[in-house]
Coordinates of all heavy atoms in Angstrom, one line a residue:
M1 N -4.5 0.7 -11.0 CA -5.5 0.5 -10.0 C -5.3 -0.7 -9.1 O -5.7 -0.8 -8.0 CB -6.9 0.5 -10.6 CG -8.0 0.3 -9.6 SD -9.4 1.3 -10.0 CE -10.6 0.4 -9.1
F2 N -4.5 -1.6 -9.7 CA -4.2 -2.9 -9.0 C -3.4 -2.6 -7.7 O -3.7 -3.2 -6.7 CB -3.4 -3.8 -9.9 CG -3.4 -5.2 -9.4 CD1 -4.4 -6.1 -9.9 CD2 -2.5 -5.7 -8.5 CE1 -4.4 -7.4 -9.5 CE2 -2.5 -7.0 -8.1 CZ -3.5 -7.9 -8.6
T3 N -2.5 -1.6 -7.8 CA -1.7 -1.2 -6.6 C -2.6 -0.7 -5.5 O -2.4 -1.1 -4.3 CB -0.7 -0.2 -7.0 OG1 0.1 -0.7 -8.1 CG2 0.2 0.2 -5.8
S4 N -3.5 0.1 -5.8 CA -4.4 0.7 -4.8 C -5.2 -0.4 -4.1 O -5.4 -0.4 -2.9 CB -5.3 1.8 -5.3 OG -6.1 1.3 -6.4
T5 N -5.7 -1.4 -4.9 CA -6.5 -2.5 -4.3 C -5.6 -3.3 -3.4 O -6.1 -3.7 -2.3 CB -7.0 -3.4 -5.5 OG1 -7.8 -2.6 -6.3 CG2 -7.9 -4.5 -4.9
R6 N -4.4 -3.7 -3.8 CA -3.6 -4.5 -3.0 C -3.2 -3.8 -1.7 O -3.2 -4.3 -0.6 CB -2.3 -4.9 -3.7 CG -2.5 -6.0 -4.7 CD -2.2 -7.4 -4.0 NE -2.6 -8.5 -4.8 CZ -1.8 -9.3 -5.5 NH1 -0.6 -9.0 -5.6 NH2 -2.3 -10.3 -6.2
I7 N -2.8 -2.5 -1.8 CA -2.4 -1.8 -0.6 C -3.6 -1.7 0.3 O -3.4 -1.8 1.6 CB -1.9 -0.4 -1.0 CG1 -0.5 -0.5 -1.7 CG2 -1.7 0.5 0.3 CD1 0.1 0.8 -2.2
D8 N -4.8 -1.4 -0.2 CA -6.0 -1.3 0.7 C -6.3 -2.6 1.4 O -6.6 -2.6 2.6 CB -7.1 -0.8 -0.1 CG -8.2 -0.2 0.8 OD1 -7.9 0.4 1.8 OD2 -9.4 -0.3 0.4
E9 N -6.1 -3.7 0.7 CA -6.4 -5.0 1.3 C -5.4 -5.3 2.4 O -5.8 -5.7 3.5 CB -6.2 -6.1 0.2 CG -7.3 -6.2 -0.8 CD -7.1 -7.2 -1.9 OE1 -6.0 -7.8 -2.0 OE2 -7.9 -7.4 -2.8
V10 N -4.1 -5.0 2.2 CA -3.1 -5.2 3.2 C -3.3 -4.3 4.4 O -3.2 -4.7 5.6 CB -1.7 -5.1 2.7 CG1 -0.6 -5.2 3.8 CG2 -1.4 -6.1 1.6
R11 N -3.7 -3.0 4.1 CA -4.0 -2.1 5.2 C -5.1 -2.6 6.1 O -5.0 -2.5 7.3 CB -4.3 -0.7 4.6 CG -4.7 0.4 5.6 CD -5.3 1.6 4.9 NE -6.6 1.3 4.3 CZ -7.8 1.3 4.9 NH1 -7.8 1.5 6.2 NH2 -8.9 1.1 4.3
K12 N -6.1 -3.0 5.4 CA -7.3 -3.5 6.2 C -6.9 -4.8 7.0 O -7.4 -4.9 8.1 CB -8.5 -3.8 5.3 CG -9.1 -2.6 4.7 CD -10.2 -2.9 3.7 CE -10.8 -1.7 3.1 NZ -11.8 -2.0 2.1
Q13 N -6.1 -5.7 6.4 CA -5.7 -6.9 7.1 C -4.9 -6.5 8.4 O -5.0 -7.2 9.4 CB -4.8 -7.8 6.3 CG -5.6 -8.5 5.2 CD -4.6 -9.2 4.2 OE1 -3.4 -9.1 4.3 NE2 -5.2 -9.9 3.2
K14 N -4.2 -5.4 8.3 CA -3.4 -5.0 9.5 C -4.2 -4.1 10.4 O -3.6 -3.5 11.4 CB -2.1 -4.3 9.0 CG -1.2 -5.1 8.1 CD -0.6 -6.2 8.9 CE 0.4 -7.0 8.0 NZ 1.1 -8.0 8.6
K15 N -5.5 -3.9 10.1 CA -6.4 -3.1 10.9 C -5.8 -1.6 11.1 O -5.9 -1.1 12.2 CB -6.6 -3.7 12.2 CG -7.3 -5.1 12.1 CD -7.6 -5.7 13.4 CE -8.3 -7.0 13.4 NZ -8.7 -7.7 12.3
M16 N -5.3 -1.0 10.0 CA -4.8 0.3 10.0 C -5.9 1.3 9.4 O -6.4 1.0 8.4 CB -3.5 0.4 9.2 CG -2.9 1.8 9.1 SD -1.4 1.9 8.1 CE -0.2 1.9 9.4
S17 N -6.1 2.4 10.1 CA -7.1 3.3 9.6 C -6.5 4.1 8.4 O -5.3 4.1 8.2 CB -7.4 4.3 10.6 OG -6.3 5.2 10.9
Q18 N -7.4 4.7 7.6 CA -6.9 5.5 6.4 C -6.1 6.7 6.9 O -5.2 7.1 6.3 CB -8.1 6.0 5.6 CG -8.7 4.9 4.8 CD -9.9 5.5 3.9 OE1 -10.3 6.6 4.0 NE2 -10.4 4.7 3.0
S19 N -6.5 7.2 8.1 CA -5.8 8.4 8.6 C -4.4 8.0 9.0 O -3.4 8.7 8.7 CB -6.6 8.9 9.9 OG -5.9 10.0 10.4
S20 N -4.2 6.8 9.7 CA -2.9 6.4 10.1 C -2.1 6.0 8.8 O -0.9 6.3 8.8 CB -3.0 5.1 10.9 OG -3.6 5.4 12.2
Y21 N -2.7 5.5 7.8 CA -2.0 5.1 6.6 C -1.5 6.4 5.9 O -0.4 6.5 5.4 CB -2.9 4.3 5.6 CG -2.1 4.0 4.4 CD1 -1.0 3.1 4.4 CD2 -2.4 4.6 3.2 CE1 -0.3 2.8 3.3 CE2 -1.7 4.3 2.0 CZ -0.6 3.4 2.1 OH 0.1 3.2 1.0
G22 N -2.4 7.4 5.9 CA -2.0 8.7 5.3 C -0.8 9.3 6.0 O 0.1 9.8 5.4
H23 N -0.8 9.2 7.3 CA 0.3 9.7 8.1 C 1.6 8.9 7.7 O 2.7 9.5 7.6 CB 0.1 9.6 9.6 CG 1.1 10.1 10.5 ND1 1.4 11.4 10.6 CD2 2.1 9.4 11.2 CE1 2.5 11.5 11.4 NE2 2.9 10.3 11.8
L24 N 1.5 7.6 7.5 CA 2.6 6.8 7.2 C 3.3 7.2 5.9 O 4.5 7.3 5.7 CB 2.2 5.3 7.0 CG 3.2 4.3 6.5 CD1 4.3 4.1 7.6 CD2 2.6 3.0 6.1
I25 N 2.4 7.6 4.9 CA 3.0 8.0 3.6 C 3.1 9.5 3.4 O 3.5 9.9 2.3 CB 2.2 7.3 2.4 CG1 0.7 7.8 2.4 CG2 2.3 5.8 2.4 CD1 0.0 7.4 1.1
G26 N 2.7 10.2 4.4 CA 2.9 11.7 4.4 C 1.8 12.5 3.7 O 2.1 13.5 3.1
V27 N 0.6 11.9 3.7 CA -0.5 12.7 3.1 C -1.7 12.7 4.0 O -1.7 12.0 5.1 CB -1.0 12.0 1.7 CG1 0.1 11.9 0.7 CG2 -1.6 10.6 2.0
S28 N -2.7 13.5 3.7 CA -3.9 13.6 4.6 C -4.8 12.4 4.4 O -4.6 11.6 3.5 CB -4.7 14.9 4.2 OG -5.3 14.7 2.9
Q29 N -5.7 12.2 5.3 CA -6.7 11.1 5.3 C -7.4 11.2 4.0 O -7.7 10.1 3.3 CB -7.6 11.1 6.5 CG -8.6 10.0 6.5 CD -9.8 10.2 5.7 OE1 -10.3 11.3 5.6 NE2 -10.4 9.1 5.1
S30 N -7.9 12.3 3.5 CA -8.7 12.4 2.3 C -7.8 12.0 1.1 O -8.4 11.4 0.2 CB -9.3 13.8 2.2 OG -8.3 14.8 2.1
T31 N -6.6 12.4 1.1 CA -5.7 12.0 -0.1 C -5.4 10.5 0.0 O -5.5 9.9 -1.1 CB -4.4 12.8 0.0 OG1 -4.7 14.2 -0.2 CG2 -3.5 12.4 -1.2
A32 N -5.2 10.0 1.2 CA -5.0 8.6 1.3 C -6.2 7.8 0.8 O -6.1 6.8 0.1 CB -4.7 8.2 2.8
S33 N -7.4 8.3 1.1 CA -8.7 7.7 0.7 C -8.7 7.7 -0.8 O -9.1 6.7 -1.5 CB -9.9 8.4 1.3 OG -11.1 7.9 0.8
R34 N -8.4 8.8 -1.4 CA -8.4 8.9 -2.9 C -7.4 8.0 -3.6 O -7.6 7.4 -4.6 CB -8.2 10.3 -3.3 CG -9.5 11.2 -2.9 CD -9.3 12.6 -3.3 NE -9.3 12.8 -4.7 CZ -8.8 13.8 -5.4 NH1 -8.3 14.8 -4.7 NH2 -8.9 13.8 -6.7
K35 N -6.2 7.8 -2.9 CA -5.2 6.9 -3.4 C -5.7 5.5 -3.3 O -5.5 4.7 -4.2 CB -3.9 7.1 -2.7 CG -3.1 8.4 -3.1 CD -1.8 8.5 -2.4 CE -1.1 9.7 -2.9 NZ -0.4 9.5 -4.1
L36 N -6.3 5.1 -2.2 CA -6.7 3.8 -1.9 C -7.9 3.4 -2.8 O -8.1 2.2 -3.1 CB -7.0 3.6 -0.4 CG -5.8 3.7 0.5 CD1 -6.3 3.8 2.0 CD2 -4.9 2.5 0.3
S37 N -8.6 4.4 -3.2 CA -9.8 4.1 -4.1 C -9.4 4.1 -5.6 O -10.2 3.7 -6.5 CB -10.9 5.1 -3.9 OG -10.5 6.3 -4.4
G38 N -8.1 4.4 -5.9 CA -7.6 4.4 -7.3 C -7.8 5.7 -8.0 O -7.5 5.8 -9.2
E39 N -8.3 6.8 -7.3 CA -8.5 8.1 -8.0 C -7.2 8.7 -8.3 O -7.0 9.5 -9.3 CB -9.3 9.0 -7.1 CG -10.8 8.7 -7.0 CD -11.5 9.7 -6.1 OE1 -11.4 10.9 -6.4 OE2 -12.2 9.2 -5.2
I40 N -6.2 8.6 -7.4 CA -4.9 9.2 -7.5 C -3.9 8.1 -7.4 O -3.9 7.2 -6.6 CB -4.6 10.2 -6.3 CG1 -5.7 11.3 -6.2 CG2 -3.2 10.8 -6.4 CD1 -5.5 12.1 -5.0
P41 N -2.9 8.1 -8.4 CA -1.9 7.0 -8.3 C -0.9 7.1 -7.2 O -0.7 8.2 -6.7 CB -1.2 7.1 -9.7 CG -1.4 8.6 -10.1 CD -2.7 9.0 -9.5
F42 N -0.4 6.0 -6.8 CA 0.7 6.0 -5.8 C 2.0 6.4 -6.4 O 2.3 5.9 -7.5 CB 0.8 4.6 -5.1 CG -0.3 4.4 -4.1 CD1 -1.5 3.8 -4.5 CD2 -0.1 4.7 -2.8 CE1 -2.5 3.6 -3.5 CE2 -1.0 4.5 -1.8 CZ -2.2 3.9 -2.2
A43 N 2.8 7.2 -5.7 CA 4.2 7.4 -6.1 C 5.0 6.2 -5.7 O 4.7 5.5 -4.8 CB 4.7 8.7 -5.4
S44 N 6.2 6.1 -6.4 CA 7.0 4.9 -6.1 C 7.5 4.9 -4.7 O 7.6 3.8 -4.1 CB 8.2 4.8 -7.1 OG 9.0 6.0 -7.0
D45 N 7.8 6.0 -4.1 CA 8.3 6.0 -2.7 C 7.1 5.6 -1.8 O 7.4 5.0 -0.7 CB 8.9 7.4 -2.3 CG 7.9 8.5 -2.4 OD1 7.1 8.6 -3.3 OD2 7.9 9.4 -1.5
E46 N 5.9 5.9 -2.1 CA 4.8 5.5 -1.3 C 4.6 4.0 -1.3 O 4.3 3.4 -0.3 CB 3.5 6.2 -1.7 CG 3.5 7.7 -1.5 CD 2.4 8.5 -2.2 OE1 1.8 8.0 -3.2 OE2 2.1 9.6 -1.7
V47 N 4.8 3.4 -2.5 CA 4.7 1.9 -2.6 C 5.9 1.3 -1.8 O 5.7 0.3 -1.0 CB 4.8 1.5 -4.1 CG1 4.9 0.0 -4.2 CG2 3.6 2.0 -4.8
R48 N 7.0 1.9 -1.9 CA 8.2 1.4 -1.1 C 8.0 1.4 0.4 O 8.2 0.4 1.1 CB 9.5 2.2 -1.5 CG 10.7 1.7 -0.8 CD 11.9 2.6 -1.1 NE 11.7 4.0 -0.8 CZ 11.6 4.5 0.4 NH1 11.8 3.7 1.5 NH2 11.4 5.8 0.6
V49 N 7.5 2.6 0.9 CA 7.2 2.7 2.3 C 6.1 1.7 2.7 O 6.2 1.1 3.8 CB 6.8 4.2 2.6 CG1 6.2 4.3 4.0 CG2 8.0 5.1 2.5
S50 N 5.1 1.6 1.9 CA 4.0 0.7 2.2 C 4.5 -0.8 2.3 O 4.2 -1.5 3.2 CB 2.9 0.8 1.2 OG 2.4 2.1 1.1
A51 N 5.3 -1.2 1.3 CA 5.8 -2.5 1.3 C 6.7 -2.8 2.5 O 6.5 -3.8 3.2 CB 6.6 -2.8 0.0
S52 N 7.5 -1.9 2.9 CA 8.4 -2.0 4.0 C 7.6 -2.1 5.3 O 7.8 -3.0 6.2 CB 9.4 -0.9 4.1 OG 10.2 -0.9 5.2
H53 N 6.6 -1.2 5.5 CA 5.8 -1.2 6.7 C 5.0 -2.4 6.9 O 4.9 -3.0 8.0 CB 4.9 0.1 6.7 CG 4.1 0.2 7.9 ND1 4.6 0.6 9.1 CD2 2.8 -0.2 8.2 CE1 3.6 0.6 10.0 NE2 2.5 0.1 9.5
F54 N 4.4 -2.9 5.8 CA 3.5 -4.1 5.9 C 4.2 -5.4 5.7 O 3.6 -6.5 5.9 CB 2.4 -4.0 4.8 CG 1.4 -2.8 5.0 CD1 1.2 -1.9 4.0 CD2 0.8 -2.6 6.3 CE1 0.3 -0.9 4.2 CE2 -0.1 -1.6 6.5 CZ -0.3 -0.7 5.5
G55 N 5.5 -5.4 5.4 CA 6.3 -6.6 5.3 C 6.0 -7.4 4.1 O 6.0 -8.7 4.2
V56 N 5.6 -6.8 3.0 CA 5.4 -7.5 1.7 C 6.3 -6.9 0.7 O 6.9 -5.8 0.9 CB 3.9 -7.3 1.3 CG1 3.0 -8.0 2.4 CG2 3.5 -5.9 1.1
S57 N 6.3 -7.5 -0.5 CA 7.2 -7.0 -1.5 C 6.4 -5.9 -2.3 O 5.2 -5.9 -2.5 CB 7.6 -8.1 -2.5 OG 6.5 -8.6 -3.3
A58 N 7.2 -5.0 -2.9 CA 6.6 -4.0 -3.8 C 6.0 -4.6 -5.0 O 5.0 -4.2 -5.5 CB 7.7 -2.9 -4.1
D59 N 6.7 -5.7 -5.5 CA 6.1 -6.5 -6.6 C 4.7 -7.0 -6.3 O 3.9 -7.0 -7.2 CB 7.0 -7.6 -7.0 CG 8.3 -7.2 -7.7 OD1 8.4 -6.0 -8.1 OD2 9.2 -8.0 -7.9
Y60 N 4.5 -7.4 -5.1 CA 3.2 -7.9 -4.7 C 2.2 -6.7 -4.8 O 1.1 -6.9 -5.3 CB 3.2 -8.5 -3.3 CG 1.9 -8.9 -2.8 CD1 1.2 -10.0 -3.3 CD2 1.2 -8.1 -1.8 CE1 -0.1 -10.4 -2.8 CE2 0.0 -8.5 -1.3 CZ -0.7 -9.6 -1.8 OH -1.9 -9.9 -1.4
L61 N 2.6 -5.6 -4.2 CA 1.6 -4.5 -4.2 C 1.3 -4.0 -5.6 O 0.2 -3.5 -5.8 CB 2.2 -3.3 -3.3 CG 2.4 -3.6 -1.8 CD1 3.0 -2.4 -1.1 CD2 1.0 -4.0 -1.2
C62 N 2.3 -4.1 -6.5 CA 2.1 -3.7 -7.9 C 1.4 -4.7 -8.8 O 1.1 -4.4 -9.9 CB 3.4 -3.2 -8.5 SG 4.1 -1.8 -7.7
G63 N 1.2 -5.9 -8.2 CA 0.5 -7.0 -9.0 C 1.4 -7.7 -9.9 O 1.0 -8.5 -10.8
L64 N 2.8 -7.7 -9.7 CA 3.7 -8.4 -10.5 C 3.9 -9.8 -10.1 O 4.4 -10.7 -10.8 CB 5.1 -7.7 -10.5 CG 5.0 -6.3 -11.1 CD1 6.4 -5.6 -10.9 CD2 4.6 -6.3 -12.6
T65 N 3.4 -10.1 -8.8 CA 3.5 -11.5 -8.3 C 2.3 -11.6 -7.3 O 1.8 -10.6 -6.8 CB 4.8 -11.8 -7.6 OG1 4.8 -13.1 -7.1 CG2 5.0 -10.8 -6.4
D66 N 1.9 -12.9 -7.1 CA 0.9 -13.1 -6.1 C 1.5 -13.6 -4.8 O 0.8 -13.9 -3.8 CB -0.1 -14.2 -6.6 CG -1.0 -13.6 -7.7 OD1 -1.3 -12.4 -7.7 OD2 -1.4 -14.4 -8.6
D67 N 2.8 -13.6 -4.7 CA 3.5 -14.0 -3.5 C 3.9 -12.7 -2.7 O 4.7 -11.9 -3.2 CB 4.8 -14.8 -3.8 CG 5.6 -15.2 -2.6 OD1 5.1 -15.0 -1.5 OD2 6.7 -15.7 -2.8
P68 N 3.3 -12.5 -1.6 CA 3.5 -11.3 -0.8 C 4.9 -11.2 -0.1 O 5.3 -10.2 0.3 CB 2.4 -11.2 0.2 CG 2.0 -12.7 0.4 CD 2.3 -13.3 -0.9
S69 N 5.6 -12.3 -0.1 CA 6.8 -12.4 0.7 C 7.9 -11.4 0.1 O 8.1 -11.4 -1.2 CB 7.4 -13.8 0.6 OG 6.5 -14.7 1.1
P70 N 8.5 -10.7 0.9 CA 9.6 -9.8 0.4 C 10.7 -10.6 -0.2 O 11.0 -11.8 0.3 CB 10.1 -9.1 1.6 CG 9.1 -9.3 2.7 CD 8.3 -10.5 2.3
V71 N 11.4 -10.1 -1.2 CA 12.5 -10.8 -1.8 C 13.7 -10.8 -0.8 O 14.0 -9.8 -0.2 CB 12.9 -10.1 -3.1 CG1 14.2 -10.7 -3.7 CG2 11.8 -10.1 -4.1
K72 N 14.3 -11.9 -0.6 CA 15.4 -12.0 0.3 C 16.7 -11.9 -0.5 O 16.9 -12.6 -1.5 CB 15.4 -13.4 1.0 CG 14.2 -13.5 1.9 CD 14.2 -14.7 2.7 CE 13.0 -14.9 3.6 NZ 11.8 -14.2 3.4
V73 N 17.5 -10.9 -0.1 CA 18.8 -10.6 -0.8 C 19.9 -11.3 0.0 O 20.0 -11.2 1.2 CB 19.0 -9.1 -0.9 CG1 20.3 -8.8 -1.6 CG2 17.9 -8.4 -1.6
A74 N 20.7 -12.0 -0.8 CA 21.8 -12.8 -0.1 C 22.9 -11.8 0.3 O 23.2 -10.8 -0.2 CB 22.4 -13.8 -1.1

């Protein structure tokens, strides 16, 4: 459930609608709503797409770190 909370917070900060977010990850608005509320878990590819789109790390979205900065690879 931590992932859904973090993704929803970032989505709201970016002023993105649930419908637009659903389109981003390839699901309907109603499915996006259920994912964002924690009813349905996110697939790993949905987390990856979300992290990339919002410019945060997947670790941040999954609650493994409180630093939203993407990891910089040398």
Side-chain angles (χ1 to χ4, degrees):
M1 183 139 157
F2 200 90
T3 302
S4 60
T5 302
R6 281 271 169 98
I7 291 175
D8 199 34
E9 287 173 357
V10 174
R11 177 191 67 80
K12 288 176 181 175
Q13 288 172 356
K14 301 293 184 177
K15 298 182 180 1
M16 178 182 260
S17 69
Q18 286 183 350
S19 179
S20 294
Y21 181 69
H23 182 72
L24 175 72
I25 62 170
V27 301
S28 68
Q29 181 277 327
S30 61
T31 299
S33 176
R34 293 179 66 202
K35 286 180 176 281
L36 293 166
S37 70
E39 287 181 55
I40 301 173
F42 282 90
S44 60
D45 64 318
E46 294 168 338
V47 174
R48 182 186 52 76
V49 167
S50 298
S52 177
H53 181 79
F54 294 128
V56 299
S57 71
D59 285 350
Y60 174 75
L61 294 179
C62 292
L64 300 174
T65 181
D66 288 330
D67 180 6
S69 304
V71 175
K72 296 188 181 17
V73 180

